[in-house]
Amino acid sequence: MASLFWLSDDAWAAIEPHLPHGKPGKPRVDDRRVISGILHVLKTGCRWRDVPAEYGPATTVYNRYHRWARRGIWRRIFERMAAAGPVPGELSFDSSHVKAHRSAQGSKGGRGTQAIGTSRGGRTSKIHALADDQGRPIAFALTPGNIADISMAIPLLDGIAPPKRLIADKAYDADRFRNWLKARSIKAVIPSSATPNRPYPLDRIAYRRRNVIERMFGKLKNWRRIATRYDRLARNYLAALALVSTVIAWI
């Protein structure tokens, strides 16, 4: 059996103040133990029913994950802790495909409503993310895998304080997007496409730093339930992204 995952004292001290408190009803089972159990499942990719007994009943671990995903708690924890960090002057934008396991199929309303699309790579979802200059996730969104990379660039950037520079690859080379950035005094560090009508200048030294977001995706996908999507509901997979992002970057 894989080694158990436990939140360290420092990690728990950072995350505990952001948990729901003062709710009426029966006191919750030990938060630290249950959240460690959730993280163990996300790390190893095991089934919820197979969560080790050291974390408590499997139903308790899963219900906490699912219920707090429905209430948006995991996402709010991530957003609060990311917002408390230093304001970045440089951001990187990119996306990454995630294979949808067969257990993620069959949601009401069809796959598209739960951010699963069909393409040559099979059934996939796509994570769109912004990372700061330290490779820490700032914001992310989930779409079907057959959606264009650039589709979520403006919606994600519109929800944060504008950086001085944005680094992205050729998939984001579009006049409309460049003009949107220029109107907000954001320098576009984006290479021109292979056959541009008029190539744009590129800060090649700054562009080398795009690898920070590639490394960020690599760290996220070290967690097996991020590398492969097992969750039927998009909100549950987004909750996993939020929780793992918090653990690897902000605590």
Side-chain angles (χ1 to χ4, degrees), residues 72-103:
I73 290 173
W74 305 118
R75 188 71 177 260
R76 286 198 296 272
I77 291 172
F78 163 73
E79 290 173 347
R80 289 172 183 171
M81 297 190 74
V87 178
E90 179 177 284
L91 294 179
S92 297
F93 198 102
D94 206 353
S95 64
S96 183
H97 282 90
V98 175
K99 186 76 173 179
H101 190 266
R102 64 177 182 274
S103 62

PDB file of all heavy atoms in Angstrom, residues 72-103:
ATOM      1  N   GLY A  72     -18.405  25.039  -2.831  1.00  0.00           N
ATOM      2  CA  GLY A  72     -17.334  25.903  -3.323  1.00  0.00           C
ATOM      3  C   GLY A  72     -16.266  26.216  -2.293  1.00  0.00           C
ATOM      4  O   GLY A  72     -15.489  27.160  -2.465  1.00  0.00           O
ATOM      5  N   ILE A  73     -16.182  25.418  -1.227  1.00  0.00           N
ATOM      6  CA  ILE A  73     -15.245  25.710  -0.134  1.00  0.00           C
ATOM      7  C   ILE A  73     -13.800  25.505  -0.566  1.00  0.00           C
ATOM      8  O   ILE A  73     -12.928  26.335  -0.278  1.00  0.00           O
ATOM      9  CB  ILE A  73     -15.592  24.862   1.101  1.00  0.00           C
ATOM     10  CG1 ILE A  73     -16.912  25.358   1.712  1.00  0.00           C
ATOM     11  CG2 ILE A  73     -14.467  24.929   2.138  1.00  0.00           C
ATOM     12  CD1 ILE A  73     -17.439  24.505   2.829  1.00  0.00           C
ATOM     13  N   TRP A  74     -13.507  24.406  -1.265  1.00  0.00           N
ATOM     14  CA  TRP A  74     -12.126  24.161  -1.682  1.00  0.00           C
ATOM     15  C   TRP A  74     -11.644  25.279  -2.598  1.00  0.00           C
ATOM     16  O   TRP A  74     -10.498  25.729  -2.477  1.00  0.00           O
ATOM     17  CB  TRP A  74     -12.017  22.818  -2.398  1.00  0.00           C
ATOM     18  CG  TRP A  74     -12.523  21.645  -1.641  1.00  0.00           C
ATOM     19  CD1 TRP A  74     -13.550  20.809  -1.986  1.00  0.00           C
ATOM     20  CD2 TRP A  74     -12.029  21.149  -0.378  1.00  0.00           C
ATOM     21  NE1 TRP A  74     -13.726  19.836  -1.040  1.00  0.00           N
ATOM     22  CE2 TRP A  74     -12.804  20.016  -0.040  1.00  0.00           C
ATOM     23  CE3 TRP A  74     -11.010  21.553   0.486  1.00  0.00           C
ATOM     24  CZ2 TRP A  74     -12.593  19.284   1.127  1.00  0.00           C
ATOM     25  CZ3 TRP A  74     -10.800  20.831   1.647  1.00  0.00           C
ATOM     26  CH2 TRP A  74     -11.578  19.715   1.966  1.00  0.00           C
ATOM     27  N   ARG A  75     -12.501  25.734  -3.497  1.00  0.00           N
ATOM     28  CA  ARG A  75     -12.131  26.812  -4.420  1.00  0.00           C
ATOM     29  C   ARG A  75     -11.879  28.117  -3.655  1.00  0.00           C
ATOM     30  O   ARG A  75     -10.918  28.838  -3.934  1.00  0.00           O
ATOM     31  CB  ARG A  75     -13.247  27.000  -5.454  1.00  0.00           C
ATOM     32  CG  ARG A  75     -12.934  27.967  -6.599  1.00  0.00           C
ATOM     33  CD  ARG A  75     -11.907  27.374  -7.549  1.00  0.00           C
ATOM     34  NE  ARG A  75     -11.652  28.238  -8.684  1.00  0.00           N
ATOM     35  CZ  ARG A  75     -12.193  28.056  -9.886  1.00  0.00           C
ATOM     36  NH1 ARG A  75     -13.030  27.050 -10.101  1.00  0.00           N
ATOM     37  NH2 ARG A  75     -11.898  28.854 -10.883  1.00  0.00           N
ATOM     38  N   ARG A  76     -12.713  28.408  -2.669  1.00  0.00           N
ATOM     39  CA  ARG A  76     -12.539  29.646  -1.899  1.00  0.00           C
ATOM     40  C   ARG A  76     -11.253  29.619  -1.082  1.00  0.00           C
ATOM     41  O   ARG A  76     -10.574  30.640  -0.947  1.00  0.00           O
ATOM     42  CB  ARG A  76     -13.749  29.880  -0.987  1.00  0.00           C
ATOM     43  CG  ARG A  76     -14.993  30.343  -1.727  1.00  0.00           C
ATOM     44  CD  ARG A  76     -15.993  30.966  -0.778  1.00  0.00           C
ATOM     45  NE  ARG A  76     -16.496  30.015   0.198  1.00  0.00           N
ATOM     46  CZ  ARG A  76     -17.546  29.222   0.002  1.00  0.00           C
ATOM     47  NH1 ARG A  76     -18.174  29.250  -1.160  1.00  0.00           N
ATOM     48  NH2 ARG A  76     -17.960  28.409   0.946  1.00  0.00           N
ATOM     49  N   ILE A  77     -10.910  28.466  -0.531  1.00  0.00           N
ATOM     50  CA  ILE A  77      -9.653  28.357   0.221  1.00  0.00           C
ATOM     51  C   ILE A  77      -8.479  28.691  -0.690  1.00  0.00           C
ATOM     52  O   ILE A  77      -7.583  29.466  -0.338  1.00  0.00           O
ATOM     53  CB  ILE A  77      -9.502  26.953   0.822  1.00  0.00           C
ATOM     54  CG1 ILE A  77     -10.525  26.724   1.936  1.00  0.00           C
ATOM     55  CG2 ILE A  77      -8.079  26.738   1.361  1.00  0.00           C
ATOM     56  CD1 ILE A  77     -10.583  25.299   2.447  1.00  0.00           C
ATOM     57  N   PHE A  78      -8.469  28.093  -1.889  1.00  0.00           N
ATOM     58  CA  PHE A  78      -7.395  28.371  -2.851  1.00  0.00           C
ATOM     59  C   PHE A  78      -7.353  29.849  -3.206  1.00  0.00           C
ATOM     60  O   PHE A  78      -6.282  30.475  -3.198  1.00  0.00           O
ATOM     61  CB  PHE A  78      -7.602  27.533  -4.112  1.00  0.00           C
ATOM     62  CG  PHE A  78      -6.814  28.021  -5.293  1.00  0.00           C
ATOM     63  CD1 PHE A  78      -5.440  27.834  -5.362  1.00  0.00           C
ATOM     64  CD2 PHE A  78      -7.435  28.697  -6.335  1.00  0.00           C
ATOM     65  CE1 PHE A  78      -4.696  28.297  -6.443  1.00  0.00           C
ATOM     66  CE2 PHE A  78      -6.716  29.165  -7.418  1.00  0.00           C
ATOM     67  CZ  PHE A  78      -5.336  28.969  -7.474  1.00  0.00           C
ATOM     68  N   GLU A  79      -8.497  30.444  -3.530  1.00  0.00           N
ATOM     69  CA  GLU A  79      -8.526  31.844  -3.966  1.00  0.00           C
ATOM     70  C   GLU A  79      -8.059  32.783  -2.862  1.00  0.00           C
ATOM     71  O   GLU A  79      -7.334  33.748  -3.121  1.00  0.00           O
ATOM     72  CB  GLU A  79      -9.936  32.205  -4.425  1.00  0.00           C
ATOM     73  CG  GLU A  79     -10.331  31.512  -5.738  1.00  0.00           C
ATOM     74  CD  GLU A  79     -11.788  31.727  -6.106  1.00  0.00           C
ATOM     75  OE1 GLU A  79     -12.553  32.206  -5.233  1.00  0.00           O
ATOM     76  OE2 GLU A  79     -12.156  31.406  -7.252  1.00  0.00           O
ATOM     77  N   ARG A  80      -8.449  32.503  -1.621  1.00  0.00           N
ATOM     78  CA  ARG A  80      -8.027  33.370  -0.510  1.00  0.00           C
ATOM     79  C   ARG A  80      -6.532  33.284  -0.273  1.00  0.00           C
ATOM     80  O   ARG A  80      -5.864  34.303  -0.053  1.00  0.00           O
ATOM     81  CB  ARG A  80      -8.783  32.974   0.762  1.00  0.00           C
ATOM     82  CG  ARG A  80     -10.263  33.342   0.757  1.00  0.00           C
ATOM     83  CD  ARG A  80     -10.966  32.756   1.958  1.00  0.00           C
ATOM     84  NE  ARG A  80     -12.398  33.041   1.937  1.00  0.00           N
ATOM     85  CZ  ARG A  80     -13.267  32.500   2.781  1.00  0.00           C
ATOM     86  NH1 ARG A  80     -12.839  31.659   3.715  1.00  0.00           N
ATOM     87  NH2 ARG A  80     -14.554  32.801   2.709  1.00  0.00           N
ATOM     88  N   MET A  81      -5.995  32.077  -0.326  1.00  0.00           N
ATOM     89  CA  MET A  81      -4.574  31.922  -0.044  1.00  0.00           C
ATOM     90  C   MET A  81      -3.729  32.456  -1.203  1.00  0.00           C
ATOM     91  O   MET A  81      -2.675  33.049  -0.984  1.00  0.00           O
ATOM     92  CB  MET A  81      -4.257  30.464   0.249  1.00  0.00           C
ATOM     93  CG  MET A  81      -4.985  29.952   1.499  1.00  0.00           C
ATOM     94  SD  MET A  81      -4.441  28.328   2.072  1.00  0.00           S
ATOM     95  CE  MET A  81      -2.857  28.756   2.789  1.00  0.00           C
ATOM     96  N   ALA A  82      -4.189  32.280  -2.431  1.00  0.00           N
ATOM     97  CA  ALA A  82      -3.460  32.845  -3.570  1.00  0.00           C
ATOM     98  C   ALA A  82      -3.512  34.363  -3.547  1.00  0.00           C
ATOM     99  O   ALA A  82      -2.519  35.034  -3.845  1.00  0.00           O
ATOM    100  CB  ALA A  82      -4.036  32.308  -4.877  1.00  0.00           C
ATOM    101  N   ALA A  83      -4.669  34.926  -3.169  1.00  0.00           N
ATOM    102  CA  ALA A  83      -4.812  36.378  -3.120  1.00  0.00           C
ATOM    103  C   ALA A  83      -3.961  37.003  -2.025  1.00  0.00           C
ATOM    104  O   ALA A  83      -3.584  38.174  -2.114  1.00  0.00           O
ATOM    105  CB  ALA A  83      -6.283  36.758  -2.917  1.00  0.00           C
ATOM    106  N   ALA A  84      -3.645  36.221  -0.993  1.00  0.00           N
ATOM    107  CA  ALA A  84      -2.834  36.744   0.111  1.00  0.00           C
ATOM    108  C   ALA A  84      -1.359  36.809  -0.237  1.00  0.00           C
ATOM    109  O   ALA A  84      -0.578  37.427   0.482  1.00  0.00           O
ATOM    110  CB  ALA A  84      -3.032  35.880   1.354  1.00  0.00           C
ATOM    111  N   GLY A  85      -0.967  36.188  -1.347  1.00  0.00           N
ATOM    112  CA  GLY A  85       0.426  36.213  -1.756  1.00  0.00           C
ATOM    113  C   GLY A  85       0.790  37.537  -2.396  1.00  0.00           C
ATOM    114  O   GLY A  85      -0.053  38.415  -2.603  1.00  0.00           O
ATOM    115  N   PRO A  86       2.068  37.721  -2.735  1.00  0.00           N
ATOM    116  CA  PRO A  86       2.504  38.974  -3.370  1.00  0.00           C
ATOM    117  C   PRO A  86       1.868  39.152  -4.742  1.00  0.00           C
ATOM    118  O   PRO A  86       1.595  38.184  -5.451  1.00  0.00           O
ATOM    119  CB  PRO A  86       4.026  38.793  -3.484  1.00  0.00           C
ATOM    120  CG  PRO A  86       4.238  37.313  -3.452  1.00  0.00           C
ATOM    121  CD  PRO A  86       3.162  36.754  -2.574  1.00  0.00           C
ATOM    122  N   VAL A  87       1.609  40.408  -5.116  1.00  0.00           N
ATOM    123  CA  VAL A  87       1.021  40.699  -6.420  1.00  0.00           C
ATOM    124  C   VAL A  87       2.085  40.472  -7.497  1.00  0.00           C
ATOM    125  O   VAL A  87       3.129  41.118  -7.498  1.00  0.00           O
ATOM    126  CB  VAL A  87       0.504  42.151  -6.483  1.00  0.00           C
ATOM    127  CG1 VAL A  87      -0.048  42.454  -7.864  1.00  0.00           C
ATOM    128  CG2 VAL A  87      -0.565  42.374  -5.420  1.00  0.00           C
ATOM    129  N   PRO A  88       1.847  39.529  -8.425  1.00  0.00           N
ATOM    130  CA  PRO A  88       2.876  39.225  -9.424  1.00  0.00           C
ATOM    131  C   PRO A  88       2.936  40.277 -10.528  1.00  0.00           C
ATOM    132  O   PRO A  88       1.908  40.788 -10.974  1.00  0.00           O
ATOM    133  CB  PRO A  88       2.425  37.874  -9.985  1.00  0.00           C
ATOM    134  CG  PRO A  88       0.944  37.877  -9.795  1.00  0.00           C
ATOM    135  CD  PRO A  88       0.678  38.662  -8.547  1.00  0.00           C
ATOM    136  N   GLY A  89       4.142  40.593 -10.976  1.00  0.00           N
ATOM    137  CA  GLY A  89       4.299  41.507 -12.093  1.00  0.00           C
ATOM    138  C   GLY A  89       4.305  40.790 -13.429  1.00  0.00           C
ATOM    139  O   GLY A  89       4.118  41.395 -14.471  1.00  0.00           O
ATOM    140  N   GLU A  90       4.514  39.467 -13.374  1.00  0.00           N
ATOM    141  CA  GLU A  90       4.595  38.661 -14.594  1.00  0.00           C
ATOM    142  C   GLU A  90       3.800  37.379 -14.400  1.00  0.00           C
ATOM    143  O   GLU A  90       3.948  36.697 -13.389  1.00  0.00           O
ATOM    144  CB  GLU A  90       6.052  38.341 -14.900  1.00  0.00           C
ATOM    145  CG  GLU A  90       6.271  37.480 -16.130  1.00  0.00           C
ATOM    146  CD  GLU A  90       7.754  37.270 -16.401  1.00  0.00           C
ATOM    147  OE1 GLU A  90       8.395  38.215 -16.913  1.00  0.00           O
ATOM    148  OE2 GLU A  90       8.267  36.179 -16.063  1.00  0.00           O
ATOM    149  N   LEU A  91       2.957  37.076 -15.366  1.00  0.00           N
ATOM    150  CA  LEU A  91       2.174  35.850 -15.336  1.00  0.00           C
ATOM    151  C   LEU A  91       2.421  35.042 -16.601  1.00  0.00           C
ATOM    152  O   LEU A  91       2.754  35.602 -17.648  1.00  0.00           O
ATOM    153  CB  LEU A  91       0.675  36.161 -15.218  1.00  0.00           C
ATOM    154  CG  LEU A  91       0.184  36.816 -13.935  1.00  0.00           C
ATOM    155  CD1 LEU A  91      -1.315  37.069 -14.026  1.00  0.00           C
ATOM    156  CD2 LEU A  91       0.500  35.951 -12.719  1.00  0.00           C
ATOM    157  N   SER A  92       2.242  33.734 -16.484  1.00  0.00           N
ATOM    158  CA  SER A  92       2.284  32.845 -17.643  1.00  0.00           C
ATOM    159  C   SER A  92       0.919  32.191 -17.799  1.00  0.00           C
ATOM    160  O   SER A  92       0.251  31.891 -16.804  1.00  0.00           O
ATOM    161  CB  SER A  92       3.348  31.762 -17.463  1.00  0.00           C
ATOM    162  OG  SER A  92       4.632  32.325 -17.371  1.00  0.00           O
ATOM    163  N   PHE A  93       0.528  31.973 -19.053  1.00  0.00           N
ATOM    164  CA  PHE A  93      -0.773  31.363 -19.339  1.00  0.00           C
ATOM    165  C   PHE A  93      -0.550  30.141 -20.218  1.00  0.00           C
ATOM    166  O   PHE A  93       0.229  30.176 -21.170  1.00  0.00           O
ATOM    167  CB  PHE A  93      -1.694  32.352 -20.068  1.00  0.00           C
ATOM    168  CG  PHE A  93      -3.145  31.968 -20.019  1.00  0.00           C
ATOM    169  CD1 PHE A  93      -3.998  32.599 -19.145  1.00  0.00           C
ATOM    170  CD2 PHE A  93      -3.654  30.969 -20.831  1.00  0.00           C
ATOM    171  CE1 PHE A  93      -5.347  32.246 -19.084  1.00  0.00           C
ATOM    172  CE2 PHE A  93      -4.986  30.598 -20.777  1.00  0.00           C
ATOM    173  CZ  PHE A  93      -5.842  31.238 -19.901  1.00  0.00           C
ATOM    174  N   ASP A  94      -1.247  29.056 -19.906  1.00  0.00           N
ATOM    175  CA  ASP A  94      -1.151  27.864 -20.742  1.00  0.00           C
ATOM    176  C   ASP A  94      -2.321  26.948 -20.406  1.00  0.00           C
ATOM    177  O   ASP A  94      -3.098  27.214 -19.475  1.00  0.00           O
ATOM    178  CB  ASP A  94       0.178  27.140 -20.517  1.00  0.00           C
ATOM    179  CG  ASP A  94       0.607  26.312 -21.735  1.00  0.00           C
ATOM    180  OD1 ASP A  94      -0.192  26.202 -22.688  1.00  0.00           O
ATOM    181  OD2 ASP A  94       1.733  25.793 -21.729  1.00  0.00           O
ATOM    182  N   SER A  95      -2.430  25.864 -21.167  1.00  0.00           N
ATOM    183  CA  SER A  95      -3.470  24.874 -20.907  1.00  0.00           C
ATOM    184  C   SER A  95      -2.875  23.488 -21.035  1.00  0.00           C
ATOM    185  O   SER A  95      -1.801  23.296 -21.612  1.00  0.00           O
ATOM    186  CB  SER A  95      -4.641  25.045 -21.876  1.00  0.00           C
ATOM    187  OG  SER A  95      -4.230  24.800 -23.206  1.00  0.00           O
ATOM    188  N   SER A  96      -3.589  22.506 -20.494  1.00  0.00           N
ATOM    189  CA  SER A  96      -3.098  21.132 -20.514  1.00  0.00           C
ATOM    190  C   SER A  96      -4.281  20.168 -20.572  1.00  0.00           C
ATOM    191  O   SER A  96      -5.271  20.334 -19.856  1.00  0.00           O
ATOM    192  CB  SER A  96      -2.255  20.850 -19.263  1.00  0.00           C
ATOM    193  OG  SER A  96      -1.715  19.555 -19.287  1.00  0.00           O
ATOM    194  N   HIS A  97      -4.168  19.162 -21.447  1.00  0.00           N
ATOM    195  CA  HIS A  97      -5.217  18.154 -21.573  1.00  0.00           C
ATOM    196  C   HIS A  97      -5.151  17.147 -20.426  1.00  0.00           C
ATOM    197  O   HIS A  97      -4.075  16.824 -19.924  1.00  0.00           O
ATOM    198  CB  HIS A  97      -5.086  17.403 -22.896  1.00  0.00           C
ATOM    199  CG  HIS A  97      -5.594  18.163 -24.079  1.00  0.00           C
ATOM    200  ND1 HIS A  97      -4.802  18.997 -24.825  1.00  0.00           N
ATOM    201  CD2 HIS A  97      -6.830  18.220 -24.639  1.00  0.00           C
ATOM    202  CE1 HIS A  97      -5.507  19.532 -25.803  1.00  0.00           C
ATOM    203  NE2 HIS A  97      -6.747  19.085 -25.715  1.00  0.00           N
ATOM    204  N   VAL A  98      -6.319  16.649 -20.060  1.00  0.00           N
ATOM    205  CA  VAL A  98      -6.428  15.602 -19.050  1.00  0.00           C
ATOM    206  C   VAL A  98      -7.369  14.530 -19.593  1.00  0.00           C
ATOM    207  O   VAL A  98      -8.489  14.828 -20.012  1.00  0.00           O
ATOM    208  CB  VAL A  98      -6.989  16.158 -17.727  1.00  0.00           C
ATOM    209  CG1 VAL A  98      -7.216  15.031 -16.730  1.00  0.00           C
ATOM    210  CG2 VAL A  98      -6.063  17.207 -17.146  1.00  0.00           C
ATOM    211  N   LYS A  99      -6.899  13.299 -19.602  1.00  0.00           N
ATOM    212  CA  LYS A  99      -7.718  12.186 -20.076  1.00  0.00           C
ATOM    213  C   LYS A  99      -8.859  11.920 -19.100  1.00  0.00           C
ATOM    214  O   LYS A  99      -8.654  11.878 -17.884  1.00  0.00           O
ATOM    215  CB  LYS A  99      -6.848  10.927 -20.203  1.00  0.00           C
ATOM    216  CG  LYS A  99      -7.544   9.734 -20.824  1.00  0.00           C
ATOM    217  CD  LYS A  99      -7.670   9.895 -22.316  1.00  0.00           C
ATOM    218  CE  LYS A  99      -8.208   8.611 -22.957  1.00  0.00           C
ATOM    219  NZ  LYS A  99      -8.356   8.782 -24.431  1.00  0.00           N
ATOM    220  N   ALA A 100     -10.072  11.772 -19.631  1.00  0.00           N
ATOM    221  CA  ALA A 100     -11.232  11.461 -18.799  1.00  0.00           C
ATOM    222  C   ALA A 100     -11.403   9.946 -18.707  1.00  0.00           C
ATOM    223  O   ALA A 100     -11.617   9.275 -19.719  1.00  0.00           O
ATOM    224  CB  ALA A 100     -12.485  12.109 -19.381  1.00  0.00           C
ATOM    225  N   HIS A 101     -11.288   9.405 -17.519  1.00  0.00           N
ATOM    226  CA  HIS A 101     -11.495   7.979 -17.281  1.00  0.00           C
ATOM    227  C   HIS A 101     -12.953   7.620 -17.546  1.00  0.00           C
ATOM    228  O   HIS A 101     -13.839   8.484 -17.510  1.00  0.00           O
ATOM    229  CB  HIS A 101     -11.118   7.666 -15.828  1.00  0.00           C
ATOM    230  CG  HIS A 101     -11.062   6.219 -15.494  1.00  0.00           C
ATOM    231  ND1 HIS A 101     -12.140   5.539 -14.962  1.00  0.00           N
ATOM    232  CD2 HIS A 101     -10.064   5.308 -15.622  1.00  0.00           C
ATOM    233  CE1 HIS A 101     -11.795   4.279 -14.753  1.00  0.00           C
ATOM    234  NE2 HIS A 101     -10.553   4.116 -15.146  1.00  0.00           N
ATOM    235  N   ARG A 102     -13.225   6.354 -17.796  1.00  0.00           N
ATOM    236  CA  ARG A 102     -14.605   5.943 -18.084  1.00  0.00           C
ATOM    237  C   ARG A 102     -15.547   6.237 -16.917  1.00  0.00           C
ATOM    238  O   ARG A 102     -16.746   6.433 -17.110  1.00  0.00           O
ATOM    239  CB  ARG A 102     -14.670   4.457 -18.438  1.00  0.00           C
ATOM    240  CG  ARG A 102     -14.274   3.512 -17.322  1.00  0.00           C
ATOM    241  CD  ARG A 102     -14.446   2.045 -17.765  1.00  0.00           C
ATOM    242  NE  ARG A 102     -14.120   1.122 -16.699  1.00  0.00           N
ATOM    243  CZ  ARG A 102     -12.901   0.685 -16.439  1.00  0.00           C
ATOM    244  NH1 ARG A 102     -11.873   1.104 -17.171  1.00  0.00           N
ATOM    245  NH2 ARG A 102     -12.686  -0.163 -15.448  1.00  0.00           N
ATOM    246  N   SER A 103     -14.999   6.294 -15.691  1.00  0.00           N
ATOM    247  CA  SER A 103     -15.838   6.608 -14.535  1.00  0.00           C
ATOM    248  C   SER A 103     -16.310   8.053 -14.538  1.00  0.00           C
ATOM    249  O   SER A 103     -17.216   8.415 -13.790  1.00  0.00           O
ATOM    250  CB  SER A 103     -15.076   6.321 -13.229  1.00  0.00           C
ATOM    251  OG  SER A 103     -13.928   7.141 -13.126  1.00  0.00           O
TER     252      SER A 103
END
